[in-house]
Amino acid sequence: MKSVIVAALVGSAAAFAPSNQVSRGTALAAAKGGPSLKYVPCISTDDLPAPGSATSGVAGGLAICIAVDTKGAVYALGDKCPPVNQPLSFGKVEDGTISDPVLGTKFSLKTGEVVSWCPTGLGKLVGGLFDPVGVPSYPVKAKGKTVEVQVDVNYKANFEAEYWSGVLDAQGKANGKYY
C-alpha cells in the first residue's frame, strides 16, 4: 500500500516538474498574420430579406448582418449589438438605420456608427453602464447568385492566436504566467 502511495506522489510531482521538451505548435497557437481583405460569399441572393428588414450570414468566420433598406440598397454590418451582443439581424430597418431589437440603439447602415444610444427604458438602464460603441460595416456586392462581403479573412485566426496560447500548464497559461 505504501508503494502505491509513493508511486502516486512521484507521478504527481513529475507532472509539475519543469520540462525541457519543445512545445508542439497547433493551429490555435499560430502566429499572427497581417490583414487580408477579400470578398467572400455570405448568403444567396435568394435569401436576401425584404426591404426594411435584415438577415444573418457568415463571411470569413464572422457573424454578418445583411440589411436591406426601404429603397432596396443592401448593407453589411457586424451582427453583434453592443453592449450585450444580441443579433442585430433581428432589428428593424428604417430611415437609413437599423435598430437593436432589445435596447433600441440605432446604428447607421452606411457606417455602423451610433445614431441613438439605448433610448428605451431598459436601454437607458443597461446602456448607461457602457460608452456608445458602433458596429463594423463592410463593403458588399452581388456576384452571380451570392452576396459577397469584404472581410479580413485572417481576423478569426488572429483573434485565436491572441486568445489561445497553446496547452495550459498548472499555473493557468502556457507561458507560465498567471491570468
Side-chain angles (χ1 to χ4, degrees):
M1 181 68 170
K2 288 183 184 179
S3 62
V4 172
I5 293 173
V6 170
L9 289 173
V10 169
S12 297
F16 294 103
S19 172
N20 292 335
Q21 255 187 343
V22 176
S23 68
R24 291 167 177 53
T26 66
L28 295 177
K32 289 182 74 168
S36 178
L37 295 176
K38 294 183 181 177
Y39 278 95
V40 294
C42 186
I43 64 170
S44 166
T45 54
D46 296 335
D47 295 331
L48 275 172
S53 57
T55 191
S56 62
V58 175
L62 300 174
I64 303 291
C65 167
I66 302 292
V68 180
D69 70 7
T70 53
K71 296 176 184 171
V74 179
Y75 300 91
L77 303 160
D79 199 25
K80 296 188 183 242
C81 289
V84 291
N85 289 337
Q86 66 274 7
L88 184 60
S89 54
F90 293 158
K92 185 177 180 183
V93 178
E94 60 186 356
D95 301 326
T97 65
I98 184 168
S99 59
D100 174 339
V102 177
L103 303 179
T105 299
K106 290 187 177 189
F107 302 96
S108 167
L109 288 172
K110 291 181 181 179
T111 65
E113 295 294 318
V114 174
V115 174
S116 173
W117 181 251
C118 300
T120 64
L122 178 61
K124 288 179 183 177
L125 180 67
V126 174
L129 301 172
F130 301 92
D131 291 329
V133 178
V135 294
S137 62
Y138 304 99
V140 64
K141 70 177 183 179
K143 184 176 181 183
K145 296 288 279 174
T146 61
V147 174
E148 293 187 345
V149 178
Q150 185 183 39
V151 297
D152 177 3
V153 293
N154 291 338
Y155 181 83
K156 184 177 178 189
N158 288 340
F159 174 80
E160 289 175 349
E162 283 288 321
Y163 187 80
W164 297 102
S165 58
V167 178
L168 300 179
D169 67 6
Q171 294 179 341
K173 290 184 80 175
N175 63 6
K177 295 182 180 179
Y178 292 98
Y179 287 103

